[in-house]
């Protein structure tokens, strides 16, 4: 990790410079204010089914999004091409859009007093070098564990592993220019169960910033099997008023509905 830290922070400095140039170009075009964010990600994704490799992907992506304002008129544009020429064209596209939009009294970037100019390190970056063979073995192990859990598990929709690192930089015309690196490792397994005429599917997954904190693949396979078996031969209850206890994974999703 020590050998990669300077590299990621050097990348962040490079991206900060690019975002600063984007904001400067927006100002040259007459924008009264602007904000932009740029991201870069890279990593490995592997999917298997019945122990056979379905996909292996190495990806390296990036993108820029910018919103600029002419008074209370806003224009936004984005690009996946991070070359200097493409970034300038994206700023100009956002400016063209802003010139033709109607005024909105509630638009604009946040007040400078609300912004954190020196955000704390949230310890989100824990890179790990995972080989393709290791990732395939993890997926196969989960599927094997699922089939071994119960003979009613008759099929698999596969297991998948993902390990990605990246960075994000945000800047605006108030002078805020901040960035941070992050990592994300995840693993999942989906299986199908049958009992008579009833067929059900379910899954289990684990996700963490640190690879070492992922749950064991065999545990994920067993959990996927048990979740699937629990769905078989479900009974319908009559309409009634009763207390309801939500499972933890379901309860957390309720907040999304409330927020939206």
């Amino acid at each position: 990790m020590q050998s990669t830290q300077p590299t990621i922070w050097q990348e962040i400095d490079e991206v900060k410079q690019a975002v600063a140039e984007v904001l400067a170009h927006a100002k040259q075009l007459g924008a009264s204010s602007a904000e932009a964010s740029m991201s870069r990600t890279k990593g490995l994704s592997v999917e298997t089914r019945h122990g056979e490799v379905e996909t292996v992907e190495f990806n390296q992506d990036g993108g820029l999004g910018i919103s600029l304002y002419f008074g209370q008129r806003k224009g936004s544009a984005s690009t996946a091409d991070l070359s200097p020429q493409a970034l300038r064209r994206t700023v100009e596209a956002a400016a063209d859009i802003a010139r033709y939009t109607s005024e909105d009294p509630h638009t604009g970037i946040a007040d400078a007093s609300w912004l954190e100019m020196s955000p704390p390190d949230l310890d989100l970056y824990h890179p790990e070098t995972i080989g393709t063979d290791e990732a395939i073995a993890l997926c196969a192990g989960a599927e094997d564990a699922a089939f071994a859990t119960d003979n009613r598990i008759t099929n698999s929709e596969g297991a998948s592993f993902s390990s990605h690192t990246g960075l994000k930089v945000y800047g605006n015309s108030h002078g805020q220019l901040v960035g941070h690196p992050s990592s994300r490792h995840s693993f999942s397994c989906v299986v199908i169960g049958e009992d008579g005429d009833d067929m059900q599917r379910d899954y289990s997954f684990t996700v963490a910033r640190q690879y070492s904190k992922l749950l064991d693949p065999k545990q994920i396979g067993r959990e996927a099997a048990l979740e699937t078996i629990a769905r078989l031969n479900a009974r319908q209850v009559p309409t009634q008023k009763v207390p309801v206890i939500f499972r933890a994974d379901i309860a957390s999703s309720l907040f999304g509905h409330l927020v939206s």
Side-chain angles (χ1 to χ4, degrees):
M1 184 171 177
Q2 290 181 349
S3 61
T4 58
Q5 283 283 15
T7 301
I8 194 71
W9 289 108
Q10 182 180 16
E11 282 191 61
I12 288 176
D13 288 340
E14 292 173 357
V15 173
K16 282 185 176 180
Q17 180 61 36
V19 170
E21 291 173 1
V22 162
L23 295 172
H25 189 41
K27 185 176 181 180
Q28 291 172 356
L29 295 176
S32 54
S33 60
E35 59 183 344
S37 64
M38 186 184 295
S39 62
R40 289 182 183 175
T41 61
K42 58 183 177 182
L44 165 71
S45 297
V46 171
E47 294 183 3
T48 68
R49 185 169 182 268
H50 289 291
E52 298 293 327
V53 179
E54 295 269 289
T55 61
V56 175
E57 294 183 358
F58 296 91
N59 69 289
Q60 187 164 339
D61 303 315
L64 168 91
I66 181 169
S67 293
L68 50 77
Y69 306 85
F70 289 87
Q72 294 177 318
R73 288 176 289 130
K74 175 184 177 182
S76 299
S78 62
T79 179
D81 183 349
L82 300 183
S83 66
Q85 298 82 0
L87 296 181
R88 291 180 65 86
R89 288 195 299 267
T90 303
V91 178
E92 291 159 5
D96 289 340
I97 293 170
R99 291 190 177 97
Y100 293 99
T101 58
S102 21
E103 292 191 355
D104 180 354
H106 304 293
T107 197
I109 63 177
D111 293 341
S113 60
W114 294 359
L115 303 177
E116 176 57 73
M117 298 299 181
S118 300
D121 182 1
L122 299 180
D123 194 29
L124 305 179
Y125 183 61
H126 300 275
E128 191 80 28
T129 301
I130 309 299
T132 305
D133 292 341
E134 181 181 355
I136 293 171
L138 292 173
C139 293
E143 287 189 288
D144 290 343
F147 283 114
T149 300
D150 195 294
N151 58 14
R152 287 172 291 179
I153 299 299
T154 59
N155 208 340
S156 169
E157 290 195 3
S160 62
F161 172 82
S162 173
S163 178
H164 287 80
T165 59
L167 61 89
K168 186 171 184 179
V169 168
Y170 170 83
N172 58 42
S173 50
H174 286 319
Q176 184 183 37
L177 186 60
V178 295
H180 70 272
S182 63
S183 57
R184 186 179 190 274
H185 313 284
S186 63
F187 185 86
S188 65
C189 183
V190 186
V191 293
I192 298 171
E194 293 183 69
D195 190 354
D197 294 331
D198 193 14
M199 179 183 293
Q200 297 290 338
R201 65 187 287 275
D202 213 320
Y203 67 96
S204 183
F205 74 97
T206 177
V207 59
R209 297 286 184 184
Q210 298 183 41
Y211 174 74
S212 61
K213 292 188 176 180
L214 291 178
L215 297 179
D216 183 83
K218 292 181 179 180
Q219 179 180 345
I220 296 301
R222 286 193 297 269
E223 288 181 357
L226 293 174
E227 293 291 330
T228 301
I229 296 304
R231 285 180 173 271
L232 292 171
N233 301 312
R235 292 175 294 117
Q236 186 173 6
V237 297
T239 302
Q240 56 190 295
K241 290 184 177 181
V242 293
V244 176
I245 298 176
F246 290 99
R247 285 175 31 147
D249 54 341
I250 302 299
S252 61
S253 69
L254 294 177
F255 289 101
H257 296 291
L258 293 173
V259 170
S260 63

